[in-house]
Amino acid sequence: NAGVTQTPKFRILKIGQSMTLQCTQDMNHNYMYWYRQDPGMGLKLIYYSVGAGITDKGEVPNGYNVSRSTTEDFPLRLELAAPSQTSVYFCASRREGDYGYTFGSGTRLTVV
Amino acid sequence: AQSVTQPDIHITVSEGASLELRCNYSYGATPYLFWYVQSPGQGLQLLLKYFSGDTLVQGIKGFEAEFKRSQSSFNLRKPSVHWSDAAEYFCAVGAQDNAGKSTFGDGTTLTVKP
């Protein structure tokens, strides 16, 4: 099993550009999450989804959007990139009844 | 609201020595607790978890953690550290609701001296 796959691994954006961070899982997990990790900090929850068609905001949702059209995919959209969005982004998923997460390997995003 | 504190930003231990990483949590009920490890440039990997029952839980790679309700703590331990254990360690508390959102501490970086 591939687990949770994130693409791209690295990206440099200019201020005001847009991009989509891709996240796919092949474990048939209903629950998926997007976190960002800033240097020396823990992970902050951006958005989450409890199933296809259902999404909700986390702790730091401003500047981001998500969709969940299928169980497998949970893309994160940045519409107008800002330097404050420079971070490492992690996607995670979990199965029903188990609250531990499986993480992807992350996307390192730099906004210049 | 749930929260996690990891008091130690950085810990250095000698290879073969024992290890204890501290974690304190705040949660209104019996918490779900986790320890994750992150190697450089990698995602987080689940080491162990506590949901209920025995307060001493065993995980992968020889790690264990003990839940102490009276101290609101969930410290991670390993009897003998290996050089490959050098990494960043995160404690997390999970909400017991349908969303199951986890809140993470700021992490502890472990350096292992030869």
Tab-separated table of all heavy atoms in Angstrom, chain B residues 4-9 11 20-24 35 73-76 89 91 107-108:
chain	number	residue	atom	x	y	z
B	4	VAL	N	-1.492	20.687	24.394
B	4	VAL	CA	-0.371	19.822	24.742
B	4	VAL	C	0.859	20.684	24.980
B	4	VAL	O	1.134	21.602	24.197
B	4	VAL	CB	-0.075	18.814	23.610
B	4	VAL	CG1	1.155	17.988	23.945
B	4	VAL	CG2	-1.269	17.922	23.364
B	5	THR	N	1.595	20.369	26.018
B	5	THR	CA	2.853	21.050	26.308
B	5	THR	C	3.977	20.036	26.367
B	5	THR	O	3.892	19.043	27.098
B	5	THR	CB	2.782	21.797	27.649
B	5	THR	OG1	1.722	22.753	27.610
B	5	THR	CG2	4.090	22.526	27.920
B	6	GLN	N	5.015	20.298	25.603
B	6	GLN	CA	6.239	19.509	25.697
B	6	GLN	C	7.306	20.448	26.249
B	6	GLN	O	7.788	21.321	25.539
B	6	GLN	CB	6.633	18.962	24.319
B	6	GLN	CG	5.620	17.950	23.781
B	6	GLN	CD	6.034	17.386	22.443
B	6	GLN	OE1	5.335	17.573	21.451
B	6	GLN	NE2	7.139	16.671	22.409
B	7	PRO	N	7.659	20.282	27.512
B	7	PRO	CA	8.502	21.271	28.189
B	7	PRO	C	9.923	21.360	27.646
B	7	PRO	O	10.566	22.400	27.772
B	7	PRO	CB	8.509	20.802	29.642
B	7	PRO	CG	7.361	19.871	29.763
B	7	PRO	CD	7.189	19.252	28.427
B	8	ASP	N	10.406	20.266	27.067
B	8	ASP	CA	11.785	20.223	26.601
B	8	ASP	C	11.848	20.417	25.102
B	8	ASP	O	11.337	19.603	24.349
B	8	ASP	CB	12.428	18.879	26.978
B	8	ASP	CG	12.339	18.623	28.472
B	8	ASP	OD1	12.811	19.483	29.229
B	8	ASP	OD2	11.790	17.576	28.864
B	9	ILE	N	12.506	21.502	24.677
B	9	ILE	CA	12.641	21.749	23.243
B	9	ILE	C	13.676	20.816	22.638
B	9	ILE	O	13.512	20.323	21.525
B	9	ILE	CB	13.025	23.219	23.004
B	9	ILE	CG1	11.912	24.141	23.490
B	9	ILE	CG2	13.322	23.477	21.531
B	9	ILE	CD1	12.281	25.614	23.441
B	11	ILE	N	16.695	17.710	23.714
B	11	ILE	CA	17.312	16.803	24.678
B	11	ILE	C	18.455	16.075	24.003
B	11	ILE	O	18.324	15.658	22.838
B	11	ILE	CB	16.281	15.801	25.237
B	11	ILE	CG1	15.415	16.480	26.289
B	11	ILE	CG2	16.957	14.576	25.823
B	11	ILE	CD1	14.440	15.558	26.969
B	20	GLU	N	13.697	9.800	28.559
B	20	GLU	CA	12.325	10.134	28.910
B	20	GLU	C	11.994	11.496	28.329
B	20	GLU	O	12.680	12.480	28.614
B	20	GLU	CB	12.097	10.146	30.423
B	20	GLU	CG	10.635	10.439	30.780
B	20	GLU	CD	10.308	10.217	32.248
B	20	GLU	OE1	11.205	10.385	33.091
B	20	GLU	OE2	9.147	9.851	32.543
B	21	LEU	N	10.957	11.554	27.516
B	21	LEU	CA	10.462	12.808	26.948
B	21	LEU	C	9.135	13.132	27.614
B	21	LEU	O	8.233	12.292	27.670
B	21	LEU	CB	10.278	12.681	25.433
B	21	LEU	CG	11.517	12.302	24.633
B	21	LEU	CD1	11.173	12.262	23.147
B	21	LEU	CD2	12.652	13.257	24.892
B	22	ARG	N	9.008	14.376	28.045
B	22	ARG	CA	7.845	14.765	28.830
B	22	ARG	C	6.729	15.337	27.961
B	22	ARG	O	6.991	16.013	26.961
B	22	ARG	CB	8.247	15.783	29.892
B	22	ARG	CG	9.225	15.233	30.927
B	22	ARG	CD	9.508	16.267	31.984
B	22	ARG	NE	10.267	17.396	31.469
B	22	ARG	CZ	10.365	18.567	32.094
B	22	ARG	NH1	9.719	18.783	33.227
B	22	ARG	NH2	11.101	19.535	31.574
B	23	CYS	N	5.506	15.066	28.387
B	23	CYS	CA	4.323	15.588	27.707
B	23	CYS	C	3.246	15.824	28.752
B	23	CYS	O	2.916	14.920	29.527
B	23	CYS	CB	3.839	14.594	26.662
B	23	CYS	SG	2.253	15.049	25.923
B	24	ASN	N	2.698	17.019	28.745
B	24	ASN	CA	1.551	17.338	29.591
B	24	ASN	C	0.398	17.795	28.707
B	24	ASN	O	0.603	18.500	27.726
B	24	ASN	CB	1.905	18.437	30.599
B	24	ASN	CG	2.932	17.976	31.603
B	24	ASN	OD1	4.121	18.271	31.473
B	24	ASN	ND2	2.489	17.227	32.581
B	35	TRP	N	2.055	9.531	20.640
B	35	TRP	CA	3.408	9.997	20.376
B	35	TRP	C	3.739	9.666	18.928
B	35	TRP	O	3.506	8.539	18.470
B	35	TRP	CB	4.435	9.339	21.286
B	35	TRP	CG	4.591	10.020	22.612
B	35	TRP	CD1	4.028	9.644	23.796
B	35	TRP	CD2	5.382	11.180	22.902
B	35	TRP	NE1	4.408	10.501	24.799
B	35	TRP	CE2	5.245	11.450	24.280
B	35	TRP	CE3	6.203	12.011	22.133
B	35	TRP	CZ2	5.901	12.521	24.905
B	35	TRP	CZ3	6.845	13.068	22.746
B	35	TRP	CH2	6.689	13.318	24.122
B	73	SER	N	-0.157	13.735	32.451
B	73	SER	CA	1.082	13.522	31.701
B	73	SER	C	1.028	12.233	30.898
B	73	SER	O	0.265	11.302	31.205
B	73	SER	CB	2.288	13.487	32.649
B	73	SER	OG	2.257	12.323	33.459
B	74	PHE	N	1.859	12.194	29.897
B	74	PHE	CA	1.964	11.014	29.022
B	74	PHE	C	3.403	10.993	28.525
B	74	PHE	O	3.709	11.293	27.378
B	74	PHE	CB	0.968	11.113	27.875
B	74	PHE	CG	0.855	9.867	27.023
B	74	PHE	CD1	0.514	8.644	27.572
B	74	PHE	CD2	1.065	9.934	25.650
B	74	PHE	CE1	0.395	7.505	26.791
B	74	PHE	CE2	0.952	8.802	24.854
B	74	PHE	CZ	0.615	7.587	25.429
B	75	ASN	N	4.323	10.619	29.395
B	75	ASN	CA	5.750	10.680	29.078
B	75	ASN	C	6.202	9.465	28.283
B	75	ASN	O	5.796	8.332	28.548
B	75	ASN	CB	6.570	10.800	30.362
B	75	ASN	CG	6.325	12.114	31.080
B	75	ASN	OD1	5.698	13.030	30.538
B	75	ASN	ND2	6.804	12.207	32.314
B	76	LEU	N	7.080	9.723	27.351
B	76	LEU	CA	7.632	8.682	26.474
B	76	LEU	C	8.971	8.219	27.018
B	76	LEU	O	9.796	9.047	27.420
B	76	LEU	CB	7.817	9.249	25.057
B	76	LEU	CG	8.337	8.293	23.989
B	76	LEU	CD1	7.284	7.262	23.628
B	76	LEU	CD2	8.766	9.086	22.754
B	89	TYR	N	10.228	14.474	18.194
B	89	TYR	CA	9.137	13.703	18.771
B	89	TYR	C	8.001	14.637	19.156
B	89	TYR	O	8.214	15.666	19.804
B	89	TYR	CB	9.628	12.926	19.999
B	89	TYR	CG	10.592	11.831	19.633
B	89	TYR	CD1	11.939	12.112	19.383
B	89	TYR	CD2	10.168	10.514	19.492
B	89	TYR	CE1	12.828	11.116	19.017
B	89	TYR	CE2	11.046	9.511	19.129
B	89	TYR	CZ	12.378	9.824	18.889
B	89	TYR	OH	13.248	8.825	18.513
B	91	CYS	N	4.119	14.901	20.864
B	91	CYS	CA	3.015	14.378	21.647
B	91	CYS	C	1.734	15.026	21.125
B	91	CYS	O	1.741	16.194	20.694
B	91	CYS	CB	3.226	14.725	23.117
B	91	CYS	SG	1.968	14.102	24.242
B	107	GLY	N	6.913	19.838	19.967
B	107	GLY	CA	7.953	18.876	19.640
B	107	GLY	C	9.183	18.976	20.523
B	107	GLY	O	9.491	20.025	21.097
B	108	THR	N	9.885	17.840	20.636
B	108	THR	CA	11.172	17.759	21.318
B	108	THR	C	12.171	17.139	20.361
B	108	THR	O	11.918	16.052	19.821
B	108	THR	CB	11.091	16.891	22.586
B	108	THR	OG1	10.188	17.487	23.526
B	108	THR	CG2	12.471	16.760	23.231
